[in-house]
Amino acid sequence: MPDLTTEQIRRMHHFAARLEVVPHTRASKAVRNELHDCPRMGIPVYVVVDPRNDKKTVTVHSDPSSGPDGIRYRKAVPYAFGDTVTAGRWTLDTSSLKSYPADW
């Protein structure tokens, strides 16, 4: 099966948001790739949950638009676990989120 272009994906689906939990390994690379790709695919809100013990954050990326640095999210709002998070038209209760086990 051939790879799909961004435009083909955009025509197939309209995503209102994407939520991703940062993997325990290769965390920065995974998020960096999605921060590059998601706004180009027309995803208006990208929520990143980082359950690593030294982070415990939820970051809402939004307002994708073109600029001198290309298409990217122009707004990033950080929250801590336990906060009530506004992500687009959704409100997320993060009070029950858990971090990765310490022995991972």
Side-chain angles (χ1 to χ4, degrees):
M1 178 181 217
D3 289 339
L4 298 174
T5 67
T6 300
E7 186 58 34
Q8 288 170 321
I9 293 169
R10 189 177 295 144
R11 279 183 275 171
M12 287 172 48
H13 302 286
H14 175 73
F15 293 97
R18 178 176 175 153
L19 185 138
E20 181 163 0
V21 177
V22 172
H24 183 65
T25 60
R26 300 183 329 271
S28 61
K29 182 177 182 182
V31 171
R32 185 173 55 247
N33 289 344
E34 295 305 320
L35 282 172
H36 177 269
D37 295 342
C38 287
R40 286 164 179 75
M41 290 190 300
I43 299 172
V45 178
Y46 176 49
V47 180
V48 179
V49 178
D50 191 341
R52 293 175 293 168
N53 283 322
D54 61 331
K55 302 291 182 190
K56 297 182 191 173
T57 60
V58 176
T59 304
V60 178
H61 300 272
S62 62
D63 300 330
S65 62
S66 294
D69 53 350
I71 299 172
R72 67 177 190 88
Y73 292 112
R74 302 293 164 186
K75 186 175 181 183
V77 180
Y79 297 89
F81 277 24
D83 290 346
T84 298
V85 173
T86 300
R89 60 182 180 233
W90 298 278
T91 301
L92 310 172
D93 175 8
T94 67
S95 62
S96 63
L97 292 179
K98 307 285 187 224
S99 61
Y100 287 126
D103 58 347
W104 277 22

